[in-house]
Amino acid sequence: MGQSQSNEGRRHATTEQLSHELASKFAKRCFTPLELYSFQDVFKSLADYQDNIAYLKEDTIARFLEIPDILGVSSVVFQMLSYLGAFPFGKDAPVVLGFEQMIMVVVIMTERYQRVLRKGNRDRTKLFFRSMAVYDRREPHNETEKADGGTEIDKQKLEDAGTTRSHAAGFAVDEPVSYEEEEEEDDDDLALAALESLDAIEVFQHGDAPISQASIPSDNLKKLIMLLLLIAPLGAQESLALHAERLSGEQLEGLRKTADNILAAFVNVEKFPGVKIHQFNTVISSSLPFLFNGFNPLFEHFLFSKNIDFTKRKDSTGAPVPPPLDPTAEQPLLAQTGEILDLNVLSQLSFFIPGNSLFRRLRLLYSGSDAGFSMGSFETKVFNWRAPTILLVSGSRIADPPIGGQERAFSDTLPPKRFPDSSKSSRVVFGVYLGQPWRQTHKDCFGDAETLLFQLEPVHEVFHASSINTDYVSYTKSPVPHPGIAFGSPHPKPKATSGLSPLVNLGAVSLMLDSSFEFGVFTHNYTSGGGAFHNSVTRRRDWQDRFEIESLEVWGCGGDAEAEQQRQRWAWEEKEAEARRRINIGKGDIEADRALLEMAGLIGGNRSGGSMS
């Protein structure tokens, strides 16, 4: 009976009461006492007041988080926060960002909601989409009516806080997406899980317009991507101002270019004005799973008050707790810049490879421009690295039909080109993440299901490995007919058993580099259904890029331990080579020398070994 009365009370609770209860629950279970105290202190120091109501304004938040003005993204971020502050009642957005609303914001931005909402099995993707979306003006809906009755005072507060209504009528989406959209459920898993944690699931009524009518303006998404590229390497309590050098000159232009490549994964900006929910969910889940990770350390700044002297704290032994480490004292994010890999591309890689394997952990093992474009120099530099590696290759697309003699010779080794180019852009950048050490292959490919084949420019996309087809990586030399490095293609057979076709056997989704590292080809045979790597999830068509290689780099993922292991391996090989050079040959005893060479298998049988005289 008592339970039924409780449920009846929940049924008549207002959204304001439920939001208050959820904020209290989040504060107690998602923050430590010190974090909550810090949050209260930070909020109090930043808040403006109207009618005794404390709230944060757009410029205040942007200044506190040190969001650079040059990105023009502060209004986009504030729109997101004004929606997230209304959680779990999106229909009430945008809201004034008071104390309780900012608790919602910080909990969601730092993913601490997982400590309470165990059934919120999906990530923040759909919630973030709604927070940035505008709706097709051809589908009007009533977004001004509030469940608890909005007032003119509320509207004035919103204006004073600099709020932009995230769900006002926006641009019209004139064309459907280029592929068939799947139906998306409107129910938000996180919102449902939040209300279920309050035993108030029956009061949930989604007030937002159908999500299929919503789109994120492309320009807004590009601004946000630029911010995410900038904050990707942030550490705990690290100031964003420390990365200001990335916002000037060539680095700023590179930041914009990298953001364009990532935006191209979501939408063709020349044809469509915005990004739909299916595109957003599909691209992030397949190619950008860690896109929003930088929000975690950025918004944790709200949980660290500069007014608290941490030097006075003591640990369990009574010793003083040292202050947080100065991030500037750490080694650089990237020890050296390559021709392909710079800080912007490094951040781009961290969107699908965990950042703790990348930032301050990459070493340039091989660069074709420095070591020479040959498989011999590649082996010398790369084969002894016993940790994961990242191969990057860039180039310019060759003409079709090819013009120069070398281009024609390369094209003659490939099957006739049946597919169009992937895009109008002449420059392409591809790469591979490989968890196993490199080696020469003779019969079978190497690699595992964690191997990633990806494109970084002009369209960002990750092609995941199949668990059935294991033709991941082959590294072959003569006597195979077409030696080189291939990813996603069947292992080439020796000349004696190569069959009837003299052409390279390209996989359905594959990257191949010839043995001289002059040319490469990336194939996406969508019709075939994929091979060792899965098809594109967005570009549902056949295409092929044949290109002249301009830069080729291999980066080792690891620290000092991996580098020392490589150094020891090099030292051992040098010692073995020196021992072979010291073999007593040519000292006058021809018969002894011949016997030694025969035991080594260098002469005898069908091997003449040349003249000993």
Side-chain angles (χ1 to χ4, degrees):
M1 184 174 178
Q3 180 66 34
S4 63
Q5 290 177 347
S6 175
N7 291 339
E8 186 68 23
R10 296 288 188 183
R11 212 172 278 127
H12 296 290
T14 65
T15 58
E16 183 178 356
Q17 292 169 334
L18 292 173
S19 295
H20 172 79
E21 188 171 343
L22 183 62
S24 177
K25 189 171 187 177
F26 276 169
K28 292 178 181 178
R29 297 184 58 181
C30 298
F31 300 151
T32 66
L34 181 59
E35 287 174 338
L36 183 56
Y37 179 84
S38 295
F39 178 78
Q40 292 170 332
D41 187 69
V42 169
F43 181 86
K44 182 180 179 180
S45 67
L46 298 176
D48 283 88
Y49 292 85
Q50 180 176 326
D51 298 333
N52 295 322
I53 298 177
Y55 65 98
L56 302 186
K57 297 194 297 186
E58 175 183 332
D59 59 341
T60 302
I61 294 176
R63 187 170 58 252
F64 174 74
L65 297 178
E66 301 177 308
I67 297 176
D69 292 337
I70 196 170
L71 298 182
V73 72
S74 60
S75 61
V76 179
V77 173
F78 192 74
Q79 173 183 322
M80 294 180 67
L81 306 190
S82 298
Y83 179 89
L84 298 177
F87 182 82
F89 302 104
K91 65 181 181 299
D92 292 341
V95 294
V96 176
L97 293 177
F99 182 78
E100 293 182 351
Q101 288 73 28
M102 285 303 299
I103 287 177
M104 300 291 191
V105 167
V106 174
V107 165
I108 293 171
M109 283 296 195
T110 60
E111 294 187 281
R112 292 166 183 253
Y113 61 84
Q114 295 175 349
R115 301 178 184 179
V116 177
L117 309 181
R118 295 185 178 87
K119 292 186 179 180
N121 54 356
R122 293 187 183 179
D123 60 15
R124 303 166 291 177
T125 304
K126 183 181 290 188
L127 200 59
F128 282 166
F129 178 86
R130 284 193 178 275
S131 72
M132 290 184 282
V134 296
Y135 287 85
D136 190 339
R137 61 166 55 101
R138 295 174 301 174
E139 299 288 345
H141 67 285
N142 183 8
E143 89 280 352
T144 60
E145 183 179 355
K146 299 216 173 196
D148 300 327
T151 66
E152 285 299 318
I153 296 177
D154 294 332
K155 295 177 182 178
Q156 183 63 46
K157 288 178 198 168
L158 291 171
E159 292 173 2
D160 291 340
T163 304
T164 301
R165 292 195 72 87
S166 63
H167 298 278
F171 61 85
V173 179
D174 298 321
E175 299 180 68
V177 293
S178 57
Y179 50 86
E180 182 181 355
E181 288 195 58
E182 297 177 5
E183 290 295 326
E184 294 286 345
E185 296 180 359
D186 277 348
D187 286 344
D188 189 321
D189 285 353
L190 289 180
L192 290 171
L195 288 167
E196 187 176 27
S197 72
L198 297 174
D199 193 25
I201 195 69
E202 294 183 14
V203 304
F204 181 74
Q205 291 181 350
H206 218 301
D208 286 341
I211 200 169
S212 61
Q213 298 173 11
S215 296
I216 301 175
S218 300
D219 188 54
N220 285 0
L221 184 56
K222 178 181 175 179
K223 292 175 182 177
L224 186 69
I225 291 172
M226 291 178 67
L227 175 64
L228 292 169
L229 286 167
L230 187 65
I231 67 176
L234 277 185
Q237 300 309 320
E238 185 176 358
S239 171
L240 188 54
L242 295 175
H243 301 275
E245 74 279 357
R246 296 175 61 184
L247 297 172
S248 61
E250 293 183 359
Q251 289 210 51
L252 177 59
E253 186 59 33
L255 185 68
R256 291 195 178 102
K257 183 179 179 182
T258 304
D260 281 331
N261 296 332
I262 296 174
L263 180 63
F266 292 97
V267 65
N268 183 336
V269 295
E270 295 180 357
K271 294 183 178 179
F272 306 106
V275 180
K276 306 288 282 185
I277 179 61
H278 177 79
Q279 296 164 291
F280 195 72
N281 279 343
T282 301
V283 171
I284 289 178
S285 62
S286 64
S287 298
L288 299 163
F290 310 130
L291 177 65
F292 300 115
N293 280 15
F295 278 148
N296 293 39
L298 182 66
F299 280 84
E300 282 181 350
H301 281 78
F302 282 100
L303 305 178
F304 182 85
S305 173
K306 295 180 180 180
N307 296 326
I308 300 177
D309 187 356
F310 285 89
T311 60
K312 296 181 179 180
R313 294 177 58 217
K314 296 183 179 181
D315 60 18
S316 57
T317 64
V321 176
L325 294 176
D326 181 7
T328 60
E330 298 182 6
Q331 56 184 327
L333 295 173
L334 187 60
Q336 63 184 114
T337 300
E339 294 182 346
I340 305 174
L341 186 65
D342 57 16
L343 288 177
N344 295 322
V345 175
L346 182 62
S347 292
Q348 183 180 4
L349 292 175
S350 75
F351 290 164
F352 61 94
I353 300 173
N356 56 13
S357 300
L358 300 177
F359 298 115
R360 303 181 176 90
R361 297 278 294 174
L362 289 188
R363 297 171 182 266
L364 181 60
L365 304 180
Y366 167 81
S367 171
S369 299
D370 296 334
F373 289 90
S374 72
M375 296 185 73
S377 58
F378 186 100
E379 291 179 25
T380 301
K381 298 291 186 179
V382 176
F383 272 34
N384 287 324
W385 188 260
R386 316 311 292 176
T389 54
I390 298 173
L391 178 145
L392 299 174
V393 58
S394 67
S396 296
R397 190 179 292 112
I398 62 178
D400 185 26
I403 300 175
Q406 291 180 317
E407 293 181 6
R408 285 196 297 269
F410 171 70
S411 296
D412 288 343
T413 66
L414 305 178
K417 187 173 182 182
R418 300 180 291 121
F419 304 146
D421 298 336
S422 65
S423 68
K424 297 179 181 179
S425 174
S426 61
R427 176 176 162 83
V428 293
V429 178
F430 297 101
V432 176
Y433 172 83
L434 180 62
Q436 295 185 356
W438 285 81
R439 61 181 174 83
Q440 185 174 345
T441 58
H442 301 282
K443 294 182 180 181
D444 300 311
C445 296
F446 69 99
D448 55 29
E450 301 302 316
T451 305
L452 298 175
L453 177 63
F454 53 87
Q455 182 177 18
L456 299 181
E457 187 179 341
V459 178
H460 175 102
E461 182 152 15
V462 178
F463 305 89
H464 295 268
S466 166
S467 58
I468 301 175
N469 186 328
T470 58
D471 294 331
Y472 303 125
V473 186
S474 64
Y475 186 100
T476 57
K477 294 183 173 182
S478 295
V480 298
H482 302 291
I485 307 178
F487 308 93
S489 296
H491 194 283
K493 299 179 180 179
K495 292 181 179 179
T497 59
S498 59
L500 301 177
S501 175
L503 303 177
V504 177
N505 186 5
L506 299 175
V509 179
S510 62
L511 172 66
M512 190 275 288
L513 311 178
D514 68 0
S515 60
S516 62
F517 296 162
E518 291 184 279
F519 298 99
V521 55
F522 190 97
T523 302
H524 181 254
N525 187 347
Y526 183 82
T527 307
S528 69
F533 295 95
H534 294 298
N535 278 327
S536 167
V537 296
T538 56
R539 291 178 282 178
R540 303 182 181 185
R541 55 186 174 83
D542 301 329
W543 48 272
Q544 186 181 78
D545 288 331
R546 302 180 179 189
F547 58 95
E548 182 178 5
I549 297 175
E550 296 173 351
S551 299
L552 179 62
E553 301 172 356
V554 178
W555 295 79
C557 304
D560 295 336
E562 289 79 5
E564 176 61 20
Q565 190 175 11
Q566 185 192 45
R567 188 196 64 77
Q568 292 177 359
R569 184 73 178 178
W570 277 339
W572 179 85
E573 289 186 353
E574 179 61 29
K575 183 178 180 181
E576 289 295 303
E578 180 64 23
R580 288 192 294 269
R581 286 193 293 268
R582 291 180 179 177
I583 294 178
N584 184 25
I585 293 181
K587 298 298 183 180
D589 191 343
I590 296 179
E591 293 301 323
D593 291 344
R594 182 181 296 276
L596 184 61
L597 292 173
E598 286 179 350
M599 285 189 293
L602 300 179
I603 64 173
N606 295 327
R607 299 184 179 89
S608 64
S611 173
M612 291 293 296
S613 59

